[in-house]
Amino acid sequence: MAEENQRTEQQSRPQTDRKPNNRKNNNRKPNGNSRQGGEKNTANKSNQNKNKNRNRHRRQPAPTDENLKKFVGLNQEIHKQRLNPHYKLDLNSSDKIRITPLGGLGEIGGNIAVFETQKEAILVDVGMSFPDEDMHGVDILVPDFSYIREIKHKIVAVIITHAHEDHIGAMPYLYKEMQFPIYATPLPLAMIGNKFDEHHIKEFRKYFNPIEKRKVYKIGNDFEIEWMHMTHSILDSSSLAITTDAGTIIHTGDFKIDHTPVDGYTADLHRLAYYGDKGVLCLLSDSTNSYNPLPTPSELTVAPALDRVFSKAEGRVILSTFSSNIHRVQQAIQYGVKYGRKVCVIGRSMERNIEIAMQYDYVRFPKNIFIDADEVARMNDKDVLIVTTGSQGEPNSALFRMSIGEHRHIKIKPTDLIVLSSRAIPGNEASISGMLNHLQRAGARVASEKDIHVSGHASIEEQKLMLRLVNPKFFLPVHGEYNHVAKHKETAMMCGVPERNIILMTDGEQIEIAPKFMRKVKTVKTGKTYIDNQNNHQIEDDIVLDRQKLASDGIVMIVAQVDGQHSKMTMKPKVTTFGIVADKQDKAFAKEMEDVLEHFLLHMKDGLIENPRALENDLRQIVRKHIYRKMKKYPLIVPHVLVS
Ligand SMILES: [Zn+2]
């Protein structure tokens, strides 16, 4: 086709040049005064020469080889079939599957989803998330389990993709209430086991079913599941191929495509391609880095920066990263050891994760490179690497306690070099900055190399690769806030998924998928349960609401003694406030409240005095109105009326 077009263009050119108009133009400017005219003149001449030559050598086009043409057609048909998933699905099937995210959409973290056939259901991941700043005293958020309670009888298993907190963190809270068989690779199971031990539910380890990757497991009657190895910022991550009678669904879990992972175990692209070639009904894919146009660098690219850090450091190196990023910790330890340092691991989660990784042979270190925290003081500074938690400035973390001089063994010195090998999770910027202030005030230097951290999530190009490998008919972008999944949708459309085959879900929305259609069917109850980490107990919603009110609007307490017969106060009421008026205005405010109270008693409904609860309620309303009128605030109001 292209050749033919070219030919037509060449043939038509001489005709244009011979237009009388051109000649006229040239005649009008015989001297070629105008620069433009002159150029045209030369151009026309040389064109005419070329055309003469071309005409001389012009030959008839070779006849079309019908056989070649036939193969072009055949290949076009192959492309059509290869790229169009419709050809691979059983469109006559009436089987359906329903997917309901109960967390992880419209938010970062807290991932949990229900996959449901007519008779059975599985949960994919049971993660936790972190509270907003105004959820005072709340340490973690656990998904609302209402819908799980509702379909409890249908659930045949909990399926885990990887061991990050936002995928397994809510497991103990779910299992304290109800239990199901758990299927996962060994690292997630080991980490869940640890949680069960901490929560004193050791016995639920009996629900563990460790799996082998690249094997298809029949789970219940309706599900067949294969775990496919994935690269991510934690070891032993998986994507899932979930097959039911309706077809195969690929759930990527969290992923990046790392062609040079530290352990050499690259993402199992072959299995993804295998399913893609067989025909995939629907893809659920990680949207966390949907905006990143640059490919996510390999974990190995952190190595040169680490080497540089250790080669230059003259005192102790204190490195902090996410405790679950075992490969990062492994690389840090390798370079520390390379420069003759002993390694001290500080921080409960960091110690536990390294211990598990070594226990299960995910990483190997000679035991003699490790020292205890109380040995650090006896060592030369140049011989010490401290690997610790606290890269997010968490107030309970080891690094934070070191920064404010409250760590039992480690006091920050001016020769210390602090390395934060992590990014700030959105919302943590202020606490990280605060910790850096403390560290630098104590004299420490902070390494600020940009290349000392890489992301664990797929950027646009890797999302495209996933879409192309899996080639799904339907697409559900998951893991991320609305804008992340919306951006992922654009990428999917670029990769050939029609817009009508993509749904942007939010938590609680139930999607029904069959080979012929995908649609929203209903919305189920979702939400968060607040957890206090000190005792692992739930904090009731109203407590958190009270705390929010206290923090933003303060509290007023009024104690009054009333003579029931005459509806008069027998003594001055006692008014105490916090967070409403300055101390010096306390008296004036108390007087104001006294007037409000007197007025209230004078005008209250008959009989109210006999009903203390109703009395206090009415009083609360009056005080609230008054304070709102004056201060535009809704403080917590605690009236206490003693009737005598
Ligand atoms: Zn993850």
Side-chain angles (χ1 to χ4, degrees), residues 99 281-282 473-476 499-504 511-520:
I99 301 177
L281 179 65
C282 181
K473 174 165 182 183
F474 298 110
F475 179 57
L476 296 170
E499 185 170 15
R500 62 178 183 279
N501 286 4
I502 307 173
I503 293 182
L504 302 185
I511 307 296
E512 186 172 69
I513 312 176
K516 264 192 183 153
F517 64 84
M518 174 164 81
R519 63 180 179 200
K520 263 180 216 177

Side-chain angles (χ1 to χ4, degrees), residues 434-483:
M435 183 178 70
L436 290 179
N437 291 338
H438 291 308
L439 287 165
Q440 294 188 16
R441 209 172 279 138
R445 219 157 49 78
V446 177
S448 55
E449 272 89 342
K450 278 204 183 83
D451 44 3
I452 221 152
H453 174 69
V454 293
S455 168
H457 295 276
S459 63
I460 294 176
E461 289 307 312
E462 296 148 276
Q463 290 175 342
K464 285 184 191 166
L465 176 60
M466 183 60 78
L467 282 152
R468 288 302 191 184
L469 280 172
V470 171
N471 194 21
K473 174 165 182 183
F474 298 110
F475 179 57
L476 296 170
V478 291
H479 303 173
E481 293 177 27
Y482 193 82
N483 70 86

Side-chain angles (χ1 to χ4, degrees), residues 162 164 166-167 232-234 254 457:
H162 68 289
H164 270 150
D166 56 341
H167 293 255
H232 182 40
S233 45
I234 190 164
D254 284 354
H457 295 276

Side-chain angles (χ1 to χ4, degrees), residues 127-366:
M128 49 138 269
S129 50
F130 290 105
D132 296 336
E133 259 169 27
D134 65 348
M135 298 176 187
H136 307 280
V138 178
D139 297 304
I140 63 169
L141 303 176
V142 161
D144 184 323
F145 297 140
S146 302
Y147 185 63
I148 301 178
R149 269 174 221 125
E150 206 180 294
I151 58 154
K152 191 178 158 188
H153 59 282
K154 283 178 74 176
I155 299 176
V156 290
V158 169
I159 307 294
I160 302 290
T161 60
H162 68 289
H164 270 150
E165 288 292 333
D166 56 341
H167 293 255
I168 63 166
M171 281 295 276
Y173 301 95
L174 178 68
Y175 273 68
K176 278 179 201 170
E177 195 185 325
M178 46 196 145
Q179 301 86 34
F180 315 99
I182 311 164
Y183 291 82
T185 54
L187 185 71
L189 286 179
M191 292 199 174
I192 293 167
N194 238 305
K195 289 183 182 300
F196 282 180
D197 298 350
E198 270 174 22
H199 285 257
H200 312 291
I201 47 174
K202 225 185 232 326
E203 65 276 18
F204 295 153
R205 280 174 177 262
K206 70 175 179 228
Y207 292 103
F208 286 4
N209 293 280
I211 65 92
E212 236 174 277
K213 285 174 177 172
R214 289 196 150 215
K215 233 183 176 180
V216 177
Y217 287 83
K218 176 124 180 128
I219 292 169
N221 283 318
D222 292 353
F223 295 92
E224 283 182 355
I225 304 180
E226 174 179 345
W227 279 253
M228 300 173 280
H229 185 70
M230 268 296 133
T231 40
H232 182 40
S233 45
I234 190 164
L235 294 169
D236 210 3
S237 296
S238 308
S239 289
L240 304 169
I242 302 170
T243 304
T244 63
D245 287 339
T248 296
I249 294 175
I250 302 287
H251 188 312
T252 64
D254 284 354
F255 79 101
K256 72 192 257 182
I257 307 283
D258 191 339
H259 297 298
T260 54
V262 172
D263 58 9
Y265 299 147
T266 51
D268 200 344
L269 303 178
H270 301 90
R271 290 307 289 169
L272 289 167
Y274 161 80
Y275 281 106
D277 207 31
K278 247 176 81 174
V280 169
L281 179 65
C282 181
L283 169 69
L284 285 79
S285 183
D286 178 8
S287 309
T288 314
N289 268 0
S290 285
Y291 282 100
N292 194 353
L294 301 172
T296 304
S298 165
E299 176 61 31
L300 214 55
T301 60
V302 176
L306 284 174
D307 195 320
R308 230 174 14 252
V309 163
F310 282 104
S311 67
K312 286 187 195 150
E314 283 165 2
R316 300 186 298 193
V317 174
I318 303 177
L319 182 139
S320 184
T321 184
F322 300 109
S323 67
S324 56
N325 196 339
I326 305 290
H327 277 155
R328 184 69 49 77
V329 175
Q330 183 185 354
Q331 294 202 86
I333 293 178
Q334 270 168 3
Y335 284 97
V337 171
K338 177 182 169 189
Y339 289 96
R341 292 171 187 265
K342 294 275 181 193
V343 183
C344 175
V345 181
I346 301 180
R348 205 161 54 114
S349 59
M350 187 71 86
E351 289 168 44
R352 208 177 42 207
N353 290 345
I354 294 181
E355 196 180 277
I356 291 179
M358 287 176 70
Q359 201 175 4
Y360 291 101
D361 264 352
Y362 286 101
V363 291
R364 282 178 198 161
F365 292 117

